[in-house]
Amino acid sequence: MAHYAFLDDNNIVTEVITGINETELIEGLDPETWYGNFRGQVCKRTSYNGNIRYNYAGIGYKYDDVFDAFIAPEPDCGHKELVLNDLMRWECSNAEHKTSKL
């Protein structure tokens, strides 16, 4: 069993489904291609454990085709100094917004 994300014209995830294993074919096509053709949307496989495309896709996430990554919407941390770390996750560069241990 594998999971697949459907993208709109702006590469934003609109839905995530459970589908067949990525190694199986449907009518001779890989699942991403078949599901995409069937729905008329781009379809990309996603993974709960982050083995592919960095993060599990969620509705509203953006697919970045340069990094081949699903990226969460930008968080609101009170200023514009956000950066993507090497795991394609947002970090607020302002120390006031970082979680501290009590």
Side-chain angles (χ1 to χ4, degrees):
M1 171 177 1
H3 297 89
Y4 299 89
F6 291 100
L7 311 176
D8 69 11
D9 293 336
N10 296 311
N11 282 348
I12 303 297
V13 176
T14 60
E15 185 178 1
V16 180
I17 66 164
T18 302
I20 67 169
N21 288 330
E22 66 278 1
T23 57
E24 296 180 44
L25 298 178
I26 307 170
E27 298 174 355
L29 298 172
D30 66 272
E32 282 184 355
T33 302
W34 192 91
Y35 289 136
N37 291 345
F38 182 77
R39 291 282 296 269
Q41 287 181 275
V42 172
C43 178
K44 298 288 182 183
R45 190 165 65 94
T46 187
S47 168
Y48 274 131
N49 56 18
N51 283 342
I52 61 164
R53 301 193 169 112
Y54 293 90
N55 301 294
Y56 182 74
I59 294 174
Y61 278 48
K62 182 168 183 134
Y63 173 71
D64 185 302
D65 54 359
V66 172
F67 292 108
D68 191 27
F70 288 109
I71 301 172
E74 290 184 23
D76 179 18
C77 71
H79 56 82
K80 297 189 184 288
E81 295 180 30
L82 288 169
V83 294
L84 280 173
N85 65 22
D86 59 348
L87 296 175
M88 296 293 133
R89 296 183 184 144
W90 292 107
E91 288 184 357
C92 186
S93 61
N94 184 339
E96 293 175 17
H97 295 280
K98 292 185 179 177
T99 304
S100 61
K101 294 183 180 180
L102 298 175

